[in-house]
Amino acid sequence: MRIEYQVVIAFVLDSVLGDPRWFPHPVKYIARAALILEKSTRKIIGNARFAGIMTAIIIIAGTASLASLLLFAAGQIHPLASDILGILIIYTTIAARDLNEHAKRVLRALQSGDLSKARKALGMMVGRDTENLDEPELVRGTVESVAENLVDGVTAPLLFAILGGPVGAITYKAINTLDSTFGYRTPRYLMFGWASARIDDLANWFPARLTAPCIVIASAIMGKDAAGAARIARRDGAKHDSPNSGISEAAFAGALGVRLGGLNYYGGEAHQGQFIGDNRIPLKACHINEANKLMYLSTILLGLTAIGVRVVMSLI
């Protein structure tokens, strides 16, 4: 089965099923393996940065090798078995439905007037303190989470799947999982997590910049401010701590006419981030739905574009 069909089926599966709790998600096993390996590499290699580099190399190469081996073994049983396994692998790397559902939990709580429930729901999406947030700040956090996770949770794995098939998709997910596990600026991981964070930045560089014009086009289709999305993405895309997440967040801010970024608290400590976007429209609960729609439409546009390019290149 062609990769294009596998990707489309996997995306449809994610849109319908999301990430069932009972399903053995590869990310959990990748993270667990990385944490176990960390103990060994730290003992064997005294330098924390080199230990982190070695851990990243082993996990990324091991994930790609294992996926390739499983797909080969499935293909020896029957070509259809390899196709099904490939679809399942790609399906586990896409998190559009999960992201949409998390955002909707915040929205439903806000619509019912239950700020406490909305704060708990947002707390499942972000690392910042949510206990004292009011409605506009809850909306801001949710829209930011959807915009930031659009790339690493949806468009990047989709693009890697189209370019590299199931192995490409799961290899990207291993890179992203390493960053989520070790990519923190804490005393423990500042040096050890350096490689994981830098590799993740590199892997997301092109997907983030390919996603931005898709957000602009999606904004135009939705009747939002497409010119604002393009303008704010250029102006404020570099204001985020992440060199990649800020681009999609800025494009969302411009499209919706809202201001994102600003003051957040982590473990009770204040972190003053730069503002992204212009405060033309006050943040309201309806912006969560608009962010979800923008996320899905941008993803579809990117997927269709990448698949179209792949098909044309195969015909040349």
Side-chain angles (χ1 to χ4, degrees):
M1 183 186 294
R2 290 177 63 97
I3 294 298
E4 297 91 327
Y5 297 133
Q6 291 188 20
V7 171
V8 170
I9 294 171
F11 181 72
V12 171
L13 279 176
D14 175 76
S15 299
V16 174
L17 301 177
D19 293 325
R21 299 290 181 186
W22 55 266
F23 193 79
H25 205 290
V27 167
K28 296 177 182 177
Y29 299 105
I30 294 172
R32 192 177 302 169
L35 289 170
I36 293 172
L37 185 60
E38 176 194 358
K39 297 176 182 178
S40 299
T41 54
R42 281 186 184 272
K43 287 181 180 179
I44 298 171
I45 305 173
N47 185 290
R49 176 172 287 188
F50 287 128
I53 292 172
M54 185 57 63
T55 300
I57 291 172
I58 293 172
I59 291 296
I60 294 168
T63 299
S65 299
L66 180 59
S68 299
L69 181 62
L70 291 174
L71 286 165
F72 174 78
Q76 297 305 300
I77 298 171
H78 194 280
L80 183 59
S82 179
D83 290 335
I84 292 173
L85 179 59
I87 291 168
L88 288 175
I89 290 174
I90 297 171
Y91 156 65
T92 64
T93 67
I94 304 170
R97 172 66 182 267
D98 201 45
L99 185 57
N100 177 75
E101 286 301 312
H102 276 296
K104 281 190 172 181
R105 289 191 190 103
V106 180
L107 175 60
R108 286 192 291 267
L110 290 174
Q111 289 174 333
S112 66
D114 192 340
L115 286 182
S116 178
K117 189 174 181 180
R119 289 163 182 155
K120 290 179 181 178
L122 178 60
M124 296 178 67
M125 300 180 69
V126 299
R128 72 190 67 169
D129 299 342
T130 62
E131 294 83 1
N132 300 310
L133 298 184
D134 58 12
E135 180 169 327
E137 286 298 295
L138 288 166
V139 173
R140 174 170 76 89
T142 307
V143 172
E144 286 175 354
S145 183
V146 172
E148 292 173 12
N149 287 293
L150 167 60
V151 176
D152 61 5
V154 189
T155 58
L158 196 67
L159 185 61
F160 272 84
I162 293 169
L163 295 175
V167 175
I170 198 64
T171 301
Y172 167 78
K173 210 60 185 178
I175 292 171
N176 188 238
T177 302
L178 282 169
D179 181 57
S180 300
T181 307
F182 302 133
Y184 299 104
R185 296 176 182 177
T186 61
R188 179 176 177 81
Y189 288 123
L190 184 61
M191 299 303 293
F192 185 88
W194 175 84
S196 295
R198 298 292 79 76
I199 294 171
D200 184 71
D201 287 343
L202 182 62
N204 281 305
W205 193 92
F206 182 67
R209 286 150 185 80
L210 187 60
T211 299
C214 293
I215 296 172
V216 173
I217 297 171
S219 301
I221 294 173
M222 289 175 58
K224 298 300 177 183
D225 189 354
R231 179 175 61 85
I232 300 300
R234 288 194 302 270
R235 190 192 75 185
D236 296 348
K239 291 182 177 180
H240 196 278
D241 290 341
S242 165
N244 299 310
S245 297
I247 297 174
S248 54
E249 184 174 321
F252 267 56
L256 300 178
V258 300
R259 188 176 70 179
L260 303 175
L263 180 64
N264 294 314
Y265 286 87
Y266 298 89
E269 295 185 8
H271 175 77
Q272 180 63 55
Q274 296 190 64
F275 288 113
I276 295 175
D278 298 323
N279 193 20
R280 295 191 294 111
I281 302 174
L283 282 159
K284 298 180 181 179
C286 63
H287 286 121
I288 295 176
N289 255 340
E290 292 176 353
N292 277 340
K293 291 176 183 177
L294 194 55
M295 178 265 293
Y296 262 115
L297 187 52
S298 302
T299 300
I300 292 169
L301 288 171
L302 181 141
L304 290 175
T305 301
I307 287 174
V309 170
R310 182 183 172 92
V311 171
V312 170
M313 292 299 292
S314 69
L315 296 175
I316 296 177

